[in-house]
Amino acid sequence: MIRRIILNRLFQMIQVMVGISLITFAVISLSPGDPAEITLRATLGTESPPKEAVARLHEEMGLDDPWHVSYLKWISRVVHGDLGYSYQTKRSTLEEIIRALPTTFCLASISMLFSAIIAIPLGIAAALRQNGFVDHICRLTSIVCLSSPEYFVAIVFMLAGGIYLDIFPIAGTGGIEYFILPSLTLSVGLIAITMRIMRTSMIETLEQDYMRTARAKGLSRRKIIQRHALKNALLPVIIYMGTQFGWIFGGAVTIESVFALPGLGRLLVNSVSSMDIMVMQGCMLTFAMIVVLINLFVDLVQLYLDPSVRAQGE
Amino acid sequence: MKRKEGILFILLALVVLGAGCTDKEQKEENQTSQTLYISGQWSPTSIDPHLSGYMPQRLEYAETLVGVDYEGKIIPNLAKSWEVSSDGKKWTFKLREGVLFHDGTSFTAEVMKKSLERSFIQSASTFGKIPVTSIETPDNLTLVISLNSTFPALPAYLSKGESVALAPGSYDASGNVTKPIGTGPFIFESWKPEEEIVVVKNPDYWGHVASVDKVVYRVIPEELTRKMLLDSKDIQVAMILSPDIADKYTEKADYTVLEQPIARVRMIAFNTEKEPFNDKKVRQAINYAIDREAIVNSVLYGYGNTAAGLFPPQFYWANKDIAPYTYDTEKAKKLLNEAGWTDSDGDGILDKNGKPLKITLVTYPERAELPPIAEVIQQQLEKVGIKTELKVLNTDASNAQRNKGNFDMYLVGRGLLFVPDPDEIMMTDYHSNGTSGDGWGAYRWHNDTVDKLIEQARTTSDEAVRKKLYDEVQEIVVEEAPVAYLNYYVNIDVTTSNIKGYHLHPTEYSLDLQNVSIA
């Protein structure tokens, strides 16, 4: 039965990917610039490729065909890993994405780690001391975090961590230390919401009947929270954080430019500002693919952790 | 649980402390070693200098046959001298003796020939303008370039970074550049796209050996981030800061603010193909309606000079006798009235045949000062009864609008002497072949006299005669006003005060790193 649920999810994922690929394909059709000419500029290493060669490639790429034929030809190339060429760098789009992806992946992962380490304990503390001092501080922190634009937060962290404290590098790449400030910046919004969800979920869980039973059995408060409440209260938090992993990838667009990280976000910004359409498409497809895969993963985790979801599926 | 939390806390603390230590160590190392950290927004698109040559040239790991001095004049470099035949079609370059590539191989005429032939193909958009028929090498130190017509601008074209000399070891079996091996005072060490380029000192350089051991050029697109890196002393040179940011360093003893007027003009191109700018009087009226002084003072914080003609006056090719358009709203209104534009309905906007004078001004934000300049122009034009709609699009999108003719005025920051001779800019921006294409200058503007003068100048060998011809072109362009020149650029770089000898180049040809020292 679980297999059927997984297959169902995979089928949904394929549908989403087809939809995204159609949107991405529309970008080529609506953008200025001739993909055949761009490809030839890259492969022949010349600014003005011969007109006959452009016409031949037009035919091969199906650029003069009706849109659905053209789309099918394009998607078949994409499936085979041919995402075209960057007209700026003359390198293949796939090569560009492979170069940029690890940076963004590191940035997003460390951000997730930060938000988990900071938001979960604070959310629990706020729930256990409802309307107390810690709860008020957490609420205030979360409002400040949510209302601060990323660019502003980035500058504040740069000033604080890079200049006044002088312990973190401000920009560029090197070791893990180069990811601390950008990851903290990126995790600020996530921390605010995760903290609130953790708090609400913990409060709700503590109000459940089985909690009352556990207390009646004489279990200590610590044991009740650790053994019974935490696992159930964490579930919505994990699901939220999982779905936000994709959002974090999107947030990387600003952060990577400010902190000069050569990741996927910066690649996308560069390709948009220079109308490097094949790189633009490649980045969009990659972002979409990551979000879809993460959602699938979150669904599977939820299926594993939450018996009620399994029951619904069955 | 308590133990696990403890371990997690210790691990996190170690990461943070470790990060701090590593960063501090690096900073200490920077201060003790002779490594220059320099940062700008540009990232070369390719490791191949024949495709993207400006950075190899500026970081001095590859060199061209000829160089450019600080007045923008052509000077010897890898070629120690050159002469041209009496018919102007055969150029003989005498190459410098004893020059070695960084891999120890000799720089010879044959290697230069192969390198040039490759660059002419790789960068055909630039070098395609050279009417070359053949390149020959009568001996090891002589290179002869034959042309099918006289072309006095040849040495200027050969100063472009895309024509640098590369050793045969630079290429792989398929002819792609894997590691650029040049002849310059610095040796290419590594390149991380969008991150950094590292070069090290060449102790066997044929000329003045560099003082610093290493130069790390860091690609930082955000100027505020470059400022922060400068404040934290992670870099010693922050390139191209805007006037408002650079201004903050003028009072600080730890820093030096360097200003360099460069060969770049901010200008408006009019769409001369359609109304209202198909009328010379309207174009001239706009020129009179713009207060150039106010733009320099208010938007550029005084960094920059108002423009009269195409070239800034410090360059040889500038026509210094051109009278600038003065700020004169009465004259502007008079010209507009003469062109048939009057405020017949009293709404403050001029009209003609019932059509109000509403125009679009297209520009782009990549040069941060252009949108605010556009806003000031919008206000200034309103004073003479012109309603202006602003369209700020990214460079490529705005350029696409321009090429389709979907604009009335196009505000641009135009580089003038990347080829340090007027030929390229005149052919691209003012000759009718160029104005009907994708240039950046006078849009769809055609003037027979200008065409003839430019053609004559590109095939005349006498420099004084060429100068006279180009002077005349500049004068006609200002009088006919297919464009409005606003002001000339000043590049502002800020260095830490221990950096000596850093020198900006007016044509952006070089950073003069071989003369930089760290005190």
Side-chain angles (χ1 to χ4, degrees), chain A residues 123-151:
Chain A
I124 295 171
L128 297 180
R129 291 165 187 81
Q130 231 184 111
N131 296 321
F133 179 71
V134 176
D135 194 15
H136 289 312
I137 291 291
C138 287
R139 189 175 296 126
L140 185 71
T141 311
S142 108
I143 290 167
V144 171
C145 286
L146 276 177
S147 53
S148 307
E150 263 175 3
Y151 193 83

Side-chain angles (χ1 to χ4, degrees), chain A residues 32 44-48 87-91 99 113-114 117 151 154-156 158-159 162-163 165-174 176-178 180 222 226 230 257-262 266 270 272-275, chain B residues 1-2 8 12 15-16 18-24 26-27 43-47 51 121-125 191-196 218-222 224-225 227-229 231-232 234 366 394-397 400 404:
Chain A
L44 300 181
T46 165
E47 276 302 307
S48 30
Y87 90 82
Q88 276 196 303
T89 65
K90 316 242 185 290
R91 284 192 296 270
R99 171 182 66 75
L113 187 71
F114 276 139
I117 292 171
Y151 193 83
I155 304 290
V156 170
M158 279 173 158
L159 283 171
I163 295 178
L165 292 176
D166 195 19
I167 50 173
F168 296 115
I170 291 170
T173 57
I176 188 118
E177 67 271 18
Y178 283 83
I180 305 280
R222 176 177 285 271
Q226 280 179 5
L230 198 57
S257 290
V258 179
F259 288 95
L261 292 170
R266 199 158 132 211
N270 285 350
V272 170
S273 64
S274 54
M275 290 307 281
Chain B
M1 185 75 172
K2 211 169 188 176
L8 201 64
L12 195 67
V15 168
V16 171
C21 291
T22 322
D23 192 42
K24 272 193 177 147
Q26 195 199 321
K27 276 184 194 170
S43 175
T45 51
S46 170
I47 195 176
L51 279 172
I121 295 168
Q122 296 289 72
S123 282
S125 57
W191 174 52
K192 290 186 202 159
E194 300 288 337
E195 281 187 68
E196 63 175 27
R218 296 180 65 182
V219 182
I220 309 287
E222 289 278 328
L224 207 53
T225 313
K227 179 199 178 297
M228 298 263 194
L229 288 169
D231 289 344
S232 64
D234 281 315
E366 280 80 358
N394 73 47
T395 313
D396 289 276
K404 283 182 201 156

